Amino acid sequence: MTRDTVFSKILNGEIPCDEVYGDEYCLAFRDISPKAPVHILVIPRKPLESLKTAQDEDKSLLGHLLLVGAKVAQQEGLQNWRTVINTGADAGQTVFHLHLHVIGGRPLKWPPG
Ligand code: 5GP
């Protein structure tokens, strides 16, 4: 079951966000605590908790999120960026509504911590 999260509240308008893109499947907005000059989150409108609970039926939605991430990165003027999906608390997931981080605008180290 999907918990009520800060992102479900953003989706239903209870919490404001700095939107950069939206369509019938997803919403993209600036992270409230950016880790780089560009840090955008792309979230599905469907309340998926994480990749762990995604199903075969979500294939095209997941592909769409990746392409929207690429679109907003380029909209922000980025030539290089990183797309991250944290899955589970030990991997850094703090909000249990699936989301892509699109991060760029500075050189990024590898591997992440
Ligand atoms: P996670 O750690 O789950 O992969 O990423 C959650 C992200 O959501 C974090 O980068 C955090 O800064 C961001 N975040 C948490 N609450 C809010 C909020 O209310 N508004 C926005 N725009 N971002 C948020």
Side-chain angles (χ1 to χ4, degrees):
M1 205 171 66
T2 310
R3 301 170 221 177
D4 201 21
T5 67
V6 67
F7 292 168
S8 59
K9 290 183 176 149
I10 285 175
L11 284 169
N12 70 23
E14 267 181 75
I15 294 179
C17 73
D18 187 357
E19 179 177 339
V20 296
Y21 176 86
D23 64 25
E24 65 181 300
Y25 303 110
C26 69
L27 183 67
F29 53 90
R30 294 187 198 285
D31 196 292
I32 204 166
S33 174
K35 307 298 183 289
V38 176
H39 188 167
I40 289 167
L41 301 170
V42 185
I43 70 173
R45 293 192 188 276
K46 179 175 175 178
L48 283 170
E49 197 172 290
S50 76
L51 278 182
K52 224 184 285 183
T53 54
Q55 304 292 316
D56 273 355
E57 68 190 33
D58 300 313
K59 247 187 239 174
S60 69
L61 175 60
L62 294 172
H64 183 68
L65 297 176
L66 286 170
L67 291 175
V68 167
K71 186 196 294 242
V72 298
Q74 290 168 96
Q75 202 172 280
E76 293 292 314
L78 298 180
Q79 299 294 322
N80 305 267
W81 66 89
R82 185 171 293 164
T83 305
V84 175
I85 304 177
N86 295 325
T87 304
D90 281 355
Q93 186 174 8
T94 58
V95 178
F96 288 85
H97 181 120
L98 180 81
H99 51 282
L100 259 75
H101 296 259
V102 176
I103 299 168
R106 66 167 170 81
L108 299 169
K109 294 198 171 73
W110 188 263

